[in-house]
Amino acid sequence: MPASSTTSAVSLLSVAITFGPKVGGYTAVKNIDLTAAPGEFIAIVGPTGCGKSTLLNASAGLLKPSHGEVEIFGAPLEGLNSRAGYLFQQDALMPWKTALQNVAVALEPQGVSRREAELKAREWLRRVGLAAFVDRYPHMLSGGQRKRVALAQMLIRNPEILLMDEPFGPLDAQTRQIMGNLLLELWAADRKAVLFVTHDLEEAIALADRVVVMSAGPASHIIGEFPVPLPRPRDIAEVRLEPAFHHIHKEIWASLRTEVQKAYAQGEEASP
Amino acid sequence: MNRLKLILLQVAVGLGFLLLWHVLTAYPILAPTRQTQFFFSTPLDVLARVWKEFASGEIWRHLGITLLETILAFAFGAGGGILFGFLFARRELLAAVFDPYIKAANALPRVVLAPIFALWFGLGIWSKVALGFTLVFFIVFFNVYQGVREVSPVVLANARMLGMNERQLLRHVYWPAALTWMFSSLHTSVGFALVGAVVGEYLGSSAGLGYKIHEAESVFDVTGVFAGMVILSIFVILIDLVVTLVERRLLVWRPAPSTNGQG
Ligand SMILES: Nc1ncnc2c1ncn2[C@@H]1O[C@H](COP(=O)(O)OP(=O)(O)OP(=O)(O)O)[C@@H](O)[C@H]1O
Ligand SMILES: [Mg+2]
């Protein structure tokens, strides 16, 4: 699509989101300006509770900003963002469907026949390393396996924008690396715009083109955007050994640390 | 506790009870045996009567009628409950307007309706089906309503992000969620269908287990009443077994298959 290559994939324009009443409610994020170009991989880091999931919800169209605008490929977002796939932070699989059914059903809205959908779903589950678990129900899978099913469910639809909220959170270090490399590989083959939320700064740097750091809430805003000029293709494990990686890490951590401490202190105050 | 030990203990409790009953009615311990036997019969007499009922084949017709009433009451009650549960859960206004009336109707003891149903539907099976219906309907209705309302918002949001339209959401999200709740109350609702049938028969009919018990009661045939109750219990246990099997099949995806069998 030549038209989309000139515009941005996702733009948050001076977005603010307030929960509860307009006056006296809790303003989670404020003055957020964030643009993801088509094919750009953006990682969002920030202290817990700062509003990372809230931003993804706004980009998905699940949450309407109290102020500001969300644009998708240059057009204001109305209702749900049909061009995005969303991997939720919480478990979002249908518990009454097996892994295979959960992935295959994602193709039903596109009118794909069930046989073909199941064939593709099998292929996707194989790719995320779950070939042996296709007939398991979510409760019979580990947290990490469920995340991988959700990943397959999102990717099988081939959305143009990927919204991922701590997708590798419950995975062990090894699987994290394997999945990270897999994600990079898939992304390199068919570049999509990615908004990737993580609490792991190293992971953010290893994966992204740009790392966005958010301040502690309330009224969280973006306190820094750090480009990651590491060459691609990258290997998650090896890229961490490069001197440039350490340099970037140090730089970002310097700004992130004070925010994390702030958020933590607030939590302490709030608790009785 | 292993299974065998559990079953042995369960059997021991039953045998202990029967033994106590036998000793107290066969020997003049509390009162002369003629008196105790008139009020409490004896376990051997009751078992003999149960055996006779089955051997003569007389009981099958009554069992069949009670079973038919139970099935019909359950089918109509569950069908209506699902339909209205869905409708009310998806239409806020409807639920809000009808809320007090539904609560009032549900709070009403259903037994008082039995004579009216007999008047409306006659003494045949339909007055019993109607009584069972009023019991089953509300249980299923409330459960389906709850199930649809309390679908996990994340699962729902995810399904919507996958691009599902209202029909697909209904099929893949709301319906299974509602069914889960319905099945979690399956034992109770099937039990109530049976209660409706038996109580209806008891209050006025010419066939069915409730009728058998009533008939025996009206001539102070305690043995007959107890025999009827034993047959009813066997019937209930068998129905509950079937329900458990159905439930296991339909709810394979659930973490722990519920094993609490009331009913
Ligand atoms: N529905 C809501 N009503 C009120 N407050 C909310 C609601 N949803 C989120 N919040 C608040 O908004 C803030 C941001 O929440 P959000 O879930 O976006 O945080 P997060 O950055 O994703 O945190 P984490 O890293 O722990 O997932 C939090 O302080 C949270 O308490
Ligand atoms: Mg979050």
Side-chain angles (χ1 to χ4, degrees):
Chain A
M1 264 183 287
S4 65
S5 63
T6 57
T7 54
S8 65
V10 184
S11 297
L12 304 177
L13 306 170
S14 58
V15 162
I17 293 168
T18 303
F19 292 107
K22 264 240 140 92
V23 185
Y26 180 82
T27 300
V29 295
K30 201 173 174 183
N31 288 329
I32 299 284
D33 279 292
L34 180 62
T35 295
E40 189 179 23
F41 198 128
I42 292 183
I44 302 173
V45 295
T48 175
C50 71
K52 305 182 292 289
S53 302
T54 303
L55 282 191
L56 288 200
N57 284 340
S59 312
L62 290 166
L63 203 63
K64 201 165 166 40
S66 328
H67 181 267
E69 193 74 56
V70 179
E71 283 184 358
I72 303 301
F73 291 109
L77 178 59
E78 301 275 353
L80 284 187
N81 184 348
S82 58
R83 300 172 83 165
Y86 193 168
L87 203 157
F88 288 80
Q89 185 171 16
Q90 306 94 323
D91 272 332
L93 296 174
M94 285 160 260
W96 39 80
K97 290 188 187 295
T98 61
L100 183 70
Q101 291 166 342
N102 258 296
V103 179
V105 81
L107 288 178
E108 192 182 304
Q110 299 178 358
V112 178
S113 79
R114 179 185 294 206
R115 271 221 12 240
E116 200 189 329
E118 289 200 351
L119 224 64
K120 284 191 177 162
R122 257 176 223 285
E123 169 60 18
W124 269 104
L125 284 168
R126 192 190 57 71
R127 265 189 237 183
V128 296
L130 291 176
F133 299 88
V134 288
D135 290 325
R136 297 255 192 131
Y137 287 94
H139 82 269
M140 304 164 163
L141 297 169
S142 74
Q145 290 167 335
R146 284 200 287 272
K147 273 275 135 81
R148 286 188 269 162
V149 176
L151 186 70
Q153 188 189 51
M154 173 181 73
L155 292 174
I156 197 173
R157 293 173 59 236
N158 196 24
E160 295 160 273
I161 301 164
L162 304 183
L163 307 171
M164 305 173 83
D165 201 343
E166 306 214 7
F168 305 150
L171 299 183
D172 61 89
Q174 266 71 43
T175 319
R176 246 181 133 89
Q177 278 178 16
I178 295 171
M179 293 305 296
N181 280 334
L182 173 69
L183 179 64
L184 282 186
E185 201 182 297
L186 294 168
W187 174 79
D190 177 13
R191 290 207 171 200
K192 302 164 188 305
V194 182
L195 291 185
F196 186 100
V197 168
T198 174
H199 59 254
D200 182 344
L201 182 52
E202 292 196 21
E203 182 173 83
I205 300 169
L207 289 170
D209 293 321
R210 188 149 52 103
V211 177
V212 171
V213 180
M214 292 179 71
S215 75
S220 171
H221 52 277
I222 293 171
I223 51 171
E225 296 191 29
F226 301 87
V228 181
L230 297 171
R232 295 192 189 265
R234 299 177 194 162
D235 180 280
I236 303 275
E238 281 163 22
V239 80
R240 290 174 206 229
L241 305 175
E242 288 187 24
F245 185 94
H246 286 278
H247 183 73
I248 300 165
H249 187 278
K250 218 164 132 189
E251 191 186 7
I252 301 179
W253 179 237
S255 70
L256 186 58
R257 188 173 52 192
T258 49
E259 294 305 324
V260 171
Q261 281 164 349
K262 233 188 271 174
Y264 186 72
Q266 277 169 1
E268 293 275 281
E269 266 168 40
S271 63
Chain B
M1 171 103 49
N2 70 44
R3 220 181 140 72
L4 186 70
K5 207 166 150 195
L6 184 68
I7 290 175
L8 283 179
L9 281 175
Q10 285 173 336
V11 170
V13 168
L15 286 180
F17 173 76
L18 288 178
L19 191 68
L20 188 72
W21 184 8
H22 175 74
V23 168
L24 288 179
T25 51
Y27 305 97
I29 298 171
L30 299 175
T33 50
R34 267 192 49 183
Q35 214 171 327
T36 46
Q37 285 181 9
F38 175 76
F39 285 110
F40 299 105
S41 189
T42 72
L44 292 176
D45 282 352
V46 170
L47 288 181
R49 181 70 72 87
V50 171
W51 178 250
K52 210 183 98 196
E53 292 281 6
F54 279 105
S56 74
E58 162 73 6
I59 199 69
W60 295 110
R61 187 173 68 91
H62 296 289
L63 274 178
I65 285 178
T66 303
L67 182 64
L68 180 66
E69 289 162 354
T70 303
I71 291 174
L72 287 174
F74 176 75
F76 285 118
I82 289 173
L83 193 73
F84 281 91
F86 254 99
L87 201 66
F88 277 49
R90 304 292 290 141
R91 298 275 176 276
E92 295 275 335
L93 183 67
L94 214 56
V97 170
F98 279 90
D99 183 58
Y101 300 105
I102 287 175
K103 288 215 177 97
N106 185 39
L108 206 69
R110 257 37 75 72
V111 180
V112 303
L113 292 173
I116 296 183
F117 285 151
L119 194 64
W120 290 349
F121 302 112
L123 291 178
I125 65 167
W126 292 106
S127 54
K128 285 84 200 170
V129 171
L131 192 62
F133 172 90
T134 60
L135 291 165
V136 173
F137 173 84
F138 285 101
I139 302 171
V140 174
F141 170 82
F142 285 119
N143 275 290
V144 169
Y145 179 75
Q146 191 92 343
V148 173
R149 293 292 295 265
E150 293 191 357
V151 169
S152 151
V154 184
V155 171
L156 191 61
N158 188 41
R160 290 174 63 209
M161 284 307 291
L162 295 178
M164 289 192 192
N165 58 28
E166 189 69 12
R167 202 180 53 78
Q168 286 159 339
L169 286 180
L170 209 63
R171 172 148 163 243
H172 294 298
V173 181
Y174 289 118
W175 177 247
L179 276 196
T180 317
W181 279 71
M182 200 199 105
F183 281 120
S184 69
S185 64
L186 203 58
H187 289 282
T188 324
S189 48
V190 169
F192 270 109
L194 183 64
V195 166
V198 172
V199 169
E201 289 163 358
Y202 184 85
L203 292 176
S205 78
S206 55
L209 275 181
Y211 163 76
K212 282 291 282 183
I213 293 175
H214 183 66
E215 189 190 42
E217 243 168 34
S218 58
V219 294
F220 297 105
D221 174 11
V222 177
T223 309
V225 173
F226 283 163
M229 282 163 59
V230 169
I231 294 169
L232 186 60
S233 309
I234 297 172
F235 188 59
V236 168
I237 289 173
L238 288 181
I239 286 189
D240 204 62
L241 208 68
V242 172
V243 170
T244 305
L245 290 180
V246 170
E247 191 183 45
R248 287 243 177 94
R249 254 198 85 76
L250 288 172
L251 296 181
V252 276
W253 58 268
R254 268 224 301 223
S258 80
T259 48
N260 57 327
Q262 352 108 314

